[in-house]
Amino acid sequence: NATVMYHRVHGFHWNIVGTDFPQYHAKFEEIYNDVWESLDGLGESLRKVDVFAPFRLTDLAGMATVSDAPVSDYSHATLVADLLAVNAGVLASLGAAFQIASTSGSQGIANFLAGRIEMHDKWAWQLKASLG
């Protein structure tokens, strides 16, 4: 889900149109850089529990539970609404993974996931606020 979000928001960064272009272009870049940097930690967390991290795009797409539907236009309102939905899916995945890590005593992984949850909560707040 994080990989889908990364690709989605990066595409939004490239394609945003409208009078608020500079602000959303920059905000989307901030989000995709953050999500990109998290992917390594997610993969390494899997390896810490002896699970091979998926890396093939077809595998990642098949595992995703968030929508990868086409957008109807590239205005900020459409893209932000879409990104909010994708972010909600990422938050759900992170929350489930956090519960597993916590109950299995994987405190380091739980801490990493808690940090990711905090960042995605921040993105949700900022995106919601931008819609008014």
Side-chain angles (χ1 to χ4, degrees):
N1 285 345
T3 302
V4 170
M5 182 174 177
Y6 164 75
H7 284 281
R8 202 142 177 90
V9 71
H10 205 147
F12 292 175
H13 164 80
W14 292 328
N15 293 299
I16 182 76
V17 297
T19 57
D20 294 328
F21 169 84
Q23 295 88 343
Y24 284 99
H25 184 74
K27 179 53 67 180
F28 290 157
E29 182 175 14
E30 182 183 356
I31 295 170
Y32 80 67
N33 280 329
D34 172 68
V35 175
W36 173 256
E37 290 176 13
S38 76
L39 295 178
D40 190 58
L42 291 168
E44 289 178 356
S45 292
L46 289 171
R47 293 302 299 140
K48 288 176 186 176
V49 294
D50 205 28
V51 173
F52 286 102
F55 61 90
R56 294 179 50 232
L57 291 179
T58 53
D59 294 337
L60 292 165
M63 296 170 64
T65 60
V66 296
S67 170
D68 196 28
V71 295
S72 57
D73 66 70
Y74 292 94
S75 67
H76 83 271
T78 299
L79 298 184
V80 168
D82 183 89
L83 190 54
L84 272 167
V86 172
N87 190 61
V90 172
L91 274 166
S93 297
L94 289 169
F98 176 82
Q99 290 301 320
I100 293 167
S102 295
T103 58
S104 68
S106 298
Q107 192 61 48
I109 294 173
N111 290 343
F112 169 76
L113 293 169
R116 293 311 312 149
I117 290 168
E118 184 176 349
M119 283 306 300
H120 285 274
D121 281 342
K122 175 184 173 182
W123 300 136
W125 158 59
Q126 290 182 347
L127 292 168
K128 285 177 194 172
S130 77
L131 291 177

